[in-house]
CSV table of all heavy atoms in Angstrom, one decimal:
chain,number,residue,atom,x,y,z
A,1,THR,N,-12.6,-4.4,-2.6
A,1,THR,CA,-12.9,-4.9,-3.9
A,1,THR,C,-13.7,-6.2,-3.8
A,1,THR,O,-14.2,-6.7,-4.9
A,1,THR,CB,-11.5,-5.3,-4.5
A,1,THR,OG1,-10.8,-6.1,-3.7
A,1,THR,CG2,-10.6,-4.0,-4.6
A,2,GLY,N,-13.8,-6.9,-2.7
A,2,GLY,CA,-14.6,-8.1,-2.6
A,2,GLY,C,-14.0,-9.4,-2.8
A,2,GLY,O,-14.5,-10.4,-3.1
A,3,HIS,N,-12.6,-9.3,-2.8
A,3,HIS,CA,-11.8,-10.6,-3.1
A,3,HIS,C,-11.8,-11.5,-1.9
A,3,HIS,O,-11.8,-11.0,-0.7
A,3,HIS,CB,-10.3,-10.2,-3.4
A,3,HIS,CG,-10.3,-9.6,-4.9
A,3,HIS,ND1,-10.5,-8.4,-5.2
A,3,HIS,CD2,-9.9,-10.2,-6.0
A,3,HIS,CE1,-10.3,-8.2,-6.5
A,3,HIS,NE2,-9.8,-9.4,-7.0
A,4,PRO,N,-11.8,-12.8,-2.1
A,4,PRO,CA,-11.7,-13.7,-1.0
A,4,PRO,C,-10.4,-13.9,-0.3
A,4,PRO,O,-9.3,-13.8,-1.1
A,4,PRO,CB,-12.1,-15.1,-1.7
A,4,PRO,CG,-11.6,-14.9,-3.1
A,4,PRO,CD,-11.8,-13.5,-3.5
A,5,VAL,N,-10.4,-14.2,0.9
A,5,VAL,CA,-9.1,-14.4,1.6
A,5,VAL,C,-9.2,-15.5,2.7
A,5,VAL,O,-10.3,-15.8,3.1
A,5,VAL,CB,-8.5,-13.1,2.3
A,5,VAL,CG1,-8.4,-12.0,1.4
A,5,VAL,CG2,-9.3,-12.8,3.5
A,6,ILE,N,-8.1,-16.2,2.9
A,6,ILE,CA,-8.2,-17.1,4.0
A,6,ILE,C,-7.0,-16.8,5.0
A,6,ILE,O,-5.9,-16.5,4.5
A,6,ILE,CB,-8.1,-18.6,3.6
A,6,ILE,CG1,-8.4,-19.5,4.8
A,6,ILE,CG2,-6.8,-18.9,2.8
A,6,ILE,CD1,-8.6,-21.0,4.3
A,7,SER,N,-7.2,-16.7,6.3
A,7,SER,CA,-6.3,-16.5,7.3
A,7,SER,C,-5.9,-17.8,8.0
A,7,SER,O,-6.8,-18.5,8.5
A,7,SER,CB,-6.8,-15.4,8.2
A,7,SER,OG,-5.8,-15.4,9.4
A,8,ILE,N,-4.6,-18.2,8.0
A,8,ILE,CA,-4.2,-19.5,8.6
A,8,ILE,C,-3.2,-19.3,9.6
A,8,ILE,O,-2.3,-18.4,9.5
A,8,ILE,CB,-3.8,-20.5,7.5
A,8,ILE,CG1,-2.6,-20.0,6.8
A,8,ILE,CG2,-4.9,-20.8,6.6
A,8,ILE,CD1,-1.9,-20.9,5.8
A,9,PRO,N,-3.1,-20.1,10.6
A,9,PRO,CA,-2.1,-20.0,11.7
A,9,PRO,C,-0.7,-20.2,11.2
A,9,PRO,O,-0.4,-21.2,10.4
A,9,PRO,CB,-2.4,-21.0,12.8
A,9,PRO,CG,-3.9,-21.3,12.4
A,9,PRO,CD,-4.0,-21.2,11.0
A,10,THR,N,0.3,-19.6,11.7
A,10,THR,CA,1.8,-19.7,11.3
A,10,THR,C,2.7,-19.9,12.6
A,10,THR,O,3.8,-19.9,12.5
A,10,THR,CB,2.2,-18.5,10.6
A,10,THR,OG1,2.0,-17.3,11.3
A,10,THR,CG2,1.5,-18.4,9.2
A,11,GLY,N,2.1,-20.1,13.8
A,11,GLY,CA,2.9,-20.3,14.9
A,11,GLY,C,2.4,-19.2,16.0
A,11,GLY,O,1.3,-18.9,16.1
A,12,PHE,N,3.4,-18.9,16.8
A,12,PHE,CA,3.2,-18.1,18.0
A,12,PHE,C,4.2,-17.0,18.1
A,12,PHE,O,5.3,-17.2,17.8
A,12,PHE,CB,3.2,-19.0,19.2
A,12,PHE,CG,2.1,-20.1,19.1
A,12,PHE,CD1,2.4,-21.3,18.6
A,12,PHE,CD2,0.8,-19.8,19.6
A,12,PHE,CE1,1.4,-22.3,18.4
A,12,PHE,CE2,-0.2,-20.9,19.5
A,12,PHE,CZ,0.2,-22.1,18.9
A,13,ASP,N,3.8,-16.0,18.8
A,13,ASP,CA,4.8,-14.9,19.2
A,13,ASP,C,5.5,-15.2,20.5
A,13,ASP,O,5.3,-16.3,21.1
A,13,ASP,CB,4.2,-13.5,19.2
A,13,ASP,CG,3.1,-13.3,20.3
A,13,ASP,OD1,3.1,-14.2,21.2
A,13,ASP,OD2,2.3,-12.5,20.2
A,14,LYS,N,6.4,-14.4,20.9
A,14,LYS,CA,7.1,-14.6,22.2
A,14,LYS,C,6.3,-14.7,23.4
A,14,LYS,O,6.7,-15.4,24.4
A,14,LYS,CB,8.1,-13.5,22.4
A,14,LYS,CG,9.2,-13.3,21.3
A,14,LYS,CD,10.2,-12.2,21.8
A,14,LYS,CE,11.3,-12.1,20.7
A,14,LYS,NZ,10.8,-11.6,19.4
A,15,ARG,N,5.0,-14.3,23.4
A,15,ARG,CA,4.1,-14.4,24.5
A,15,ARG,C,3.3,-15.6,24.4
A,15,ARG,O,2.2,-15.7,25.1
A,15,ARG,CB,3.3,-13.0,24.7
A,15,ARG,CG,4.2,-12.0,25.2
A,15,ARG,CD,3.4,-10.5,25.2
A,15,ARG,NE,3.0,-10.1,23.8
A,15,ARG,CZ,2.4,-9.0,23.5
A,15,ARG,NH1,2.1,-8.2,24.6
A,15,ARG,NH2,2.1,-8.6,22.4
A,16,GLY,N,3.4,-16.4,23.4
A,16,GLY,CA,2.6,-17.6,23.2
A,16,GLY,C,1.3,-17.3,22.5
A,16,GLY,O,0.4,-18.2,22.6
A,17,ARG,N,1.1,-16.1,21.9
A,17,ARG,CA,-0.1,-15.8,21.2
A,17,ARG,C,0.0,-16.1,19.7
A,17,ARG,O,1.1,-16.0,19.0
A,17,ARG,CB,-0.4,-14.3,21.2
A,17,ARG,CG,-0.6,-13.8,22.8
A,17,ARG,CD,-0.7,-12.4,22.8
A,17,ARG,NE,-1.1,-11.9,24.2
A,17,ARG,CZ,-1.1,-10.6,24.6
A,17,ARG,NH1,-0.8,-9.7,23.8
A,17,ARG,NH2,-1.5,-10.3,25.8
A,18,PRO,N,-1.2,-16.6,19.1
A,18,PRO,CA,-1.1,-17.0,17.7
A,18,PRO,C,-0.7,-16.0,16.7
A,18,PRO,O,-1.0,-14.8,16.9
A,18,PRO,CB,-2.4,-17.7,17.4
A,18,PRO,CG,-3.0,-18.0,18.8
A,18,PRO,CD,-2.4,-17.0,19.7
A,19,THR,N,-0.1,-16.3,15.6
A,19,THR,CA,0.2,-15.5,14.5
A,19,THR,C,-0.4,-16.2,13.2
A,19,THR,O,-0.8,-17.2,13.2
A,19,THR,CB,1.7,-15.3,14.3
A,19,THR,OG1,2.4,-16.5,14.0
A,19,THR,CG2,2.3,-14.6,15.5
A,20,SER,N,-0.5,-15.3,12.1
A,20,SER,CA,-1.1,-15.8,10.9
A,20,SER,C,-0.5,-15.3,9.6
A,20,SER,O,0.3,-14.3,9.7
A,20,SER,CB,-2.6,-15.5,10.9
A,20,SER,OG,-2.8,-14.1,10.6
A,21,MET,N,-0.9,-15.8,8.6
A,21,MET,CA,-0.7,-15.2,7.2
A,21,MET,C,-2.0,-15.4,6.5
A,21,MET,O,-2.9,-16.2,6.8
A,21,MET,CB,0.6,-15.7,6.5
A,21,MET,CG,0.4,-17.2,6.1
A,21,MET,SD,1.9,-17.7,5.1
A,21,MET,CE,1.6,-19.6,5.1
A,22,THR,N,-2.1,-14.6,5.4
A,22,THR,CA,-3.3,-14.5,4.6
A,22,THR,C,-3.0,-14.9,3.1
A,22,THR,O,-2.0,-14.4,2.6
A,22,THR,CB,-3.9,-13.2,4.6
A,22,THR,OG1,-4.4,-13.0,6.0
A,22,THR,CG2,-5.1,-13.0,3.7
A,23,PHE,N,-3.9,-15.7,2.6
A,23,PHE,CA,-3.8,-16.0,1.1
A,23,PHE,C,-5.1,-15.3,0.5
A,23,PHE,O,-6.2,-15.4,1.0
A,23,PHE,CB,-4.0,-17.5,0.9
A,23,PHE,CG,-2.8,-18.3,1.3
A,23,PHE,CD1,-3.0,-19.7,1.6
A,23,PHE,CD2,-1.6,-17.8,1.6
A,23,PHE,CE1,-1.9,-20.5,2.0
A,23,PHE,CE2,-0.5,-18.5,2.1
A,23,PHE,CZ,-0.7,-19.9,2.4
A,24,VAL,N,-4.8,-14.5,-0.6
A,24,VAL,CA,-5.8,-13.8,-1.3
A,24,VAL,C,-6.0,-14.5,-2.7
A,24,VAL,O,-5.1,-14.9,-3.3
A,24,VAL,CB,-5.4,-12.2,-1.5
A,24,VAL,CG1,-6.5,-11.5,-2.2
A,24,VAL,CG2,-4.9,-11.7,-0.2
A,25,GLY,N,-7.3,-14.6,-3.0
A,25,GLY,CA,-7.6,-15.2,-4.3
A,25,GLY,C,-8.4,-14.2,-5.2
A,25,GLY,O,-8.7,-13.2,-4.8
């Protein structure tokens, strides 16, 4: 659909790898 999004860090998983969430506009 062409909508904008931003992905931002939310912490880390059990293996120390980053996680994220997305905001859609």
Side-chain angles (χ1 to χ4, degrees):
T1 61
H3 285 78
V5 307
I6 188 167
S7 171
I8 59 174
T10 55
F12 301 88
D13 65 17
K14 292 184 180 67
R15 292 175 289 184
R17 296 169 175 176
T19 60
S20 75
M21 65 179 166
T22 289
F23 297 158
V24 184

